Amino acid sequence: MLHSKETLRKMYSVAKGYYCGGLASPNPFPVLDLRQSLSSSRKAPGYANPCRARSYTRNVLTGSSAADQEIVIALGSNVGDRIGSFDRALRLMKDSGIKITRHACLYETAPEYVTDQPRFLNSAVRGTTKLGPHDLLKKLKEIERDIGRTAGIRYGPRPIDLDILLYGDSRISTETLTVPHERIRERQFVLAPLVDLLGSSADDPMEKSWHSLSKCSGGFFDVWNELGGESLIGTQGIKRVMAVGNRLLDWSERTLVMGVLNLTPDSFSDGGKFQEVEAAVAQAKLLISQGADIIDIGAQSTRPSATRLSANEELERLVPVLDAITKIPEMEGKLISVDTFYGQVAAEAVKRGATMINDVSGGQLDPSILEVVAELGVPYVTMHMRGDPSTMQSEQNLQYDDVCKEVASELYARLREAELSGIPLWRIVLDPGIGFSKKSKHNLEIINGLGSIRKEMGKVSLGASHVPILLGLSRKRFLGEICNRADPVERDAATVAANAAGIMNGANILRVHNVRCGVDTAKVSDALRMVK
């Protein structure tokens, strides 16, 4: 692929590479400050006396392991369909008996060592296997060949690269396999995904052993911090991205705006206005002209006590409008989200051009939607709600001792179900569910506490704490209560104020009825966030 003699010479001159190749309990752990974990030079609590890692002897390096071993596998790709190669690699690993239990975020990174080649996608997964380390290595090489990797120059372009980063609590050093390799310390494209798979709590025994393998008193957190840690993310060297079709979306560059298009007769703000195809298409064009990045089409009302439609009834409303909107030239470069909790509707919507699924139930009303979305390979918005629209505002579902902590815990449970169903973390968006199973004070606490929700999730999964957050508070009742505005349309100014606070506290996507106001809110808030 690289033809110049000078490039080849550089490739051959690079030092020999490495093979360096987890699973943590999803239960909450005692608090360890996330910021300290990622940016402080102090020792991370819990690592002063790291547990000792085992060294493998030759007689256990081949064959199957008697028990499942917890592993971390790194993924990289920089030629061809990079996202498609990752998806296929995950399927083939699953088919090989490797159970994937957690995903890191997705990173686009600049090539290192040999820089005259395309940018890489990098990530990592945790899981379990009964394969011995060398059998696992052999299986990963088979998967690489199946995806199209051939013998090439070290550090050169490749459609897929699968490396064992960690294998149980063992340190492995043989002629063909080193786990972990000493050069892991210098590689941001390896460390960023690896750290995502850990929690900021210090209480998980396996994670303690992994940290001890880092040869650093503060574990991999300190190794990552020495390279620059979170300050590196968003630079030309490494960006955290989301896979949307064959595109990569960097939601950290600016706040995205999702315009609401309700096809229902009874939605609280604009019910009945856009049921006809012509009216819906005109509204979609208006939202796009005002600057919407995403159009969110809903054919099922989820207001309190709404009557639930069947999947077929929902499709009867949705399909004609979706078919018409996907054909308009204004949709070029825009995303279409479909607001549904039915797997059947999700499948049909993506078949007809939708690029994202927005599920207010987080998989609780139709569990089949999780496996359906995993197979579809589209982003999935999972929202916090207790019960269903008919019961979510019951007294029982409105009880919280600490709303941010409990929303974080319950939303993380939804995220874990999605991951275990096969939806990678790099396709998940979190919605704290403003107005769903919440009183007015709960909504306000969540808007102010988005950072604490991220931090709470970071105790068990730093990767989960980094995923984009969608805020859907547009024109909602609690704003009317605060401002004494009975008509939802008169709540746009209040929506602007609440959304601005949300962005300043970490929201990445605004779901709004008035897109013009939403775009201006995002632009001003983003500019304020950039001020040092």
Side-chain angles (χ1 to χ4, degrees):
M1 245 181 215
L2 301 177
H3 301 294
S4 73
K5 291 184 179 179
E6 177 60 19
T7 302
L8 291 173
R9 186 192 62 78
K10 288 180 181 178
M11 286 184 173
Y12 280 119
S13 66
V14 176
K16 288 184 178 179
Y18 73 103
Y19 265 107
C20 19
L23 172 72
S25 167
N27 297 323
F29 300 126
V31 177
L32 173 66
D33 193 294
L34 178 58
R35 292 182 180 178
Q36 289 181 2
S37 298
L38 294 179
S39 61
S40 172
S41 60
R42 297 188 297 125
K43 287 184 179 180
Y47 303 124
N49 296 300
C51 57
R52 202 171 3 180
R54 292 186 296 142
S55 293
Y56 257 93
T57 55
R58 230 172 245 284
N59 63 331
V60 294
L61 285 171
T62 58
S64 297
S65 172
D68 285 343
Q69 294 293 326
E70 300 178 34
I71 57 173
V72 174
I73 298 172
L75 298 89
S77 174
N78 76 330
V79 294
D81 180 1
R82 298 177 298 174
I83 295 295
S85 293
F86 273 30
D87 288 339
R88 189 174 176 195
L90 295 182
R91 287 195 297 269
L92 290 173
M93 280 192 270
K94 180 180 178 181
D95 292 344
S96 301
I98 300 168
K99 182 180 179 181
I100 296 172
T101 56
R102 190 180 295 181
H103 308 74
C105 295
L106 186 67
Y107 296 87
E108 187 176 46
T109 64
E112 296 188 14
Y113 306 116
V114 177
T115 58
D116 186 14
Q117 59 178 316
R119 291 175 66 85
F120 277 84
L121 281 189
N122 291 103
S123 191
V125 294
R126 289 175 69 161
T128 60
T129 183
K130 291 186 181 296
L131 294 172
H134 278 73
D135 279 352
L136 175 60
L137 176 62
K138 180 181 178 182
K139 179 57 66 177
L140 295 180
K141 291 304 165 188
E142 290 175 2
I143 293 173
E144 288 180 343
R145 288 191 294 273
D146 286 345
I147 295 175
R149 183 171 180 181
T150 58
I153 299 167
R154 190 174 294 278
Y155 306 118
R158 71 287 306 271
I160 194 68
D161 190 20
L162 302 174
D163 289 338
I164 304 170
L165 296 184
L166 295 166
Y167 185 93
D169 59 359
S170 304
R171 189 183 304 279
I172 304 170
S173 181
T174 68
E175 291 180 359
T176 57
L177 182 62
T178 302
V179 179
H181 194 276
E182 58 187 0
R183 297 187 68 181
I184 195 172
R185 300 171 64 93
E186 67 188 46
R187 299 181 176 189
Q188 61 185 23
F189 63 88
V190 174
L191 279 169
L194 174 57
V195 169
D196 280 347
L197 298 172
L198 308 175
S200 64
S201 168
D203 279 5
D204 182 79
M206 181 55 71
E207 291 191 9
K208 280 187 177 182
S209 72
W210 289 344
H211 282 294
S212 74
L213 291 170
S214 72
K215 299 181 180 179
C216 186
S217 61
F220 285 112
F221 293 144
D222 273 7
V223 178
W224 174 229
N225 181 58
E226 287 172 4
L227 278 184
E230 275 296 298
S231 67
L232 295 173
I233 306 300
T235 65
Q236 280 301 109
I238 181 168
K239 296 183 178 183
R240 199 175 277 130
V241 295
M242 170 174 283
V244 186
N246 59 359
R247 299 169 50 191
L248 297 177
L249 190 65
D250 183 354
W251 71 91
S252 66
E253 288 184 339
R254 62 180 179 85
T255 302
L256 303 177
V257 176
M258 172 187 279
V260 178
L261 179 56
N262 285 320
L263 311 182
T264 55
D266 54 348
S267 291
F268 78 95
S269 175
D270 51 9
K273 289 185 177 181
F274 309 117
Q275 286 183 276
E276 299 299 322
V277 173
E278 293 78 7
V281 170
Q283 179 66 6
K285 290 181 178 180
L286 175 63
L287 297 175
I288 294 168
S289 71
Q290 293 178 340
D293 301 290
I294 310 165
I295 303 297
D296 188 44
I297 307 175
Q300 171 116 230
S301 176
T302 53
R303 64 178 176 80
S305 302
T307 301
R308 186 188 303 187
L309 299 179
S310 68
N312 287 333
E313 290 172 321
E314 188 176 329
L315 283 169
E316 286 178 6
R317 286 181 184 173
L318 173 67
V319 168
V321 173
L322 182 59
D323 285 349
I325 287 177
T326 55
K327 291 181 176 67
I328 62 176
E330 289 87 348
M331 282 306 303
E332 181 70 27
K334 304 297 182 179
L335 304 178
I336 296 178
S337 168
V338 168
D339 187 349
T340 186
F341 48 74
Y342 285 125
Q344 179 185 342
V345 175
E348 189 65 24
V350 173
K351 175 184 175 182
R352 294 175 178 271
T355 49
M356 178 181 295
I357 298 299
N358 182 7
D359 179 6
V360 298
S361 81
Q364 299 304 289
L365 297 182
D366 179 9
S368 75
I369 196 171
L370 298 178
E371 291 188 0
V372 168
V373 172
E375 185 65 28
L376 294 170
V378 296
Y380 176 68
V381 182
T382 182
M383 195 191 79
H384 176 269
M385 175 176 64
R386 291 174 172 176
D388 58 36
S390 67
T391 64
M392 65 183 183
Q393 295 301 109
S394 67
E395 192 60 31
Q396 178 182 358
N397 285 331
L398 293 173
Q399 298 303 311
Y400 297 92
D401 293 324
D402 183 326
V403 67
C404 287
K405 183 176 289 188
E406 290 172 61
V407 166
S409 175
E410 293 167 26
L411 194 53
Y412 181 70
R414 303 284 79 77
L415 179 150
R416 291 294 295 133
E417 286 187 21
E419 270 199 295
L420 291 171
S421 297
I423 304 175
L425 191 68
W426 60 73
R427 287 198 175 104
I428 294 177
V429 178
L430 298 177
D431 181 346
I434 299 296
F436 290 80
S437 310
K438 318 288 190 308
K439 297 179 180 178
S440 292
K441 67 173 184 176
H442 298 145
N443 294 324
L444 296 173
E445 288 173 11
I446 289 170
I447 293 168
N448 269 338
L450 293 178
S452 67
I453 290 174
R454 288 191 185 277
K455 182 177 176 180
E456 194 69 24
M457 288 190 177
K459 294 176 185 177
V460 288
S461 169
L462 293 182
S465 74
H466 295 317
V467 303
I469 289 179
L470 183 151
L471 200 58
L473 53 79
S474 181
R475 298 179 176 176
K476 289 197 172 174
R477 180 179 299 176
F478 80 102
L479 298 175
E481 292 173 356
I482 294 170
C483 300
N484 194 27
R485 302 288 185 186
D487 186 350
V489 177
E490 295 183 354
R491 300 170 189 165
D492 284 344
T495 298
V496 167
N499 272 331
I503 293 172
M504 299 306 288
N505 284 300
N508 307 104
I509 305 171
L510 303 181
R511 184 180 184 273
V512 295
H513 297 84
N514 188 325
V515 167
R516 188 182 302 280
C517 287
V519 169
D520 287 351
T521 303
K523 287 180 177 179
V524 173
S525 300
D526 288 346
L528 287 169
R529 287 200 296 185
M530 293 298 292
V531 176
K532 302 297 182 182

